[in-house]
Amino acid sequence: MHIILFDGVCNLCNSAVQFVIKRDKKGIFKFASLQSQAGKELLSRIGLRDHPLRSFVYIQGDKVYTRSDAALRVAQHLSFPTRLLAAFLIVPRFIRNFCYDAIARNRYRIFGKRAECMMPTPELKQKFL
């Protein structure tokens, strides 16, 4: 199973979810906000109960990825040319995560914040946990 946990009130994160949905031609991804009951239960189950909301989590079977690893591992499964972003996995993790963290720290200020988590449309509801 491929599950993406994301910050449901973050405009950047919601846009990223929409980006993935459009490029997930195989329909393999499921989504849950970190704030939702399903998200909290999954975080607890994988040992990340106190996971900060500034990173999304990608669960691929029994493997768990966060920060830049999560973003680039998700890209591997998307349609061409987006999957080419996975080539950035060769960049050392500390450099990738430095960039990721800089964006994550400032995402609300730059991209804004919603008052509540997004509600999926009826067509997309089956993609959310």
Side-chain angles (χ1 to χ4, degrees), residues 98-115:
F98 177 82
C99 296
Y100 182 95
D101 291 343
I103 294 168
R105 268 191 311 276
N106 297 295
R107 72 189 187 282
Y108 292 150
R109 187 170 42 82
I110 297 169
F111 300 99
K113 186 176 177 179
R114 297 169 180 247

Side-chain angles (χ1 to χ4, degrees), residues 20-93:
V20 170
I21 288 170
K22 287 179 185 174
R23 288 156 183 83
D24 179 18
K25 300 301 181 194
K26 297 176 187 171
I28 63 171
F29 290 105
K30 297 284 186 190
F31 304 88
S33 75
L34 291 163
Q35 296 91 342
S36 70
Q37 190 60 37
K40 290 175 185 176
E41 288 173 9
L42 279 166
L43 286 173
S44 182
R45 195 175 324 150
I46 61 176
L48 294 177
R49 175 174 296 150
D50 298 321
H51 184 73
L53 291 179
R54 69 177 177 273
S55 175
F56 77 94
V57 177
Y58 171 41
I59 304 168
Q60 181 183 11
D62 60 348
K63 296 178 183 163
V64 178
Y65 302 99
T66 60
R67 299 164 69 194
S68 67
D69 286 331
L72 297 174
R73 297 288 176 176
V74 166
Q76 286 180 316
H77 298 284
L78 301 179
S79 60
F80 182 84
T82 307
R83 74 178 56 185
L84 295 177
L85 291 171
F88 283 102
L89 285 166
I90 65 169
V91 174
R93 181 178 289 130

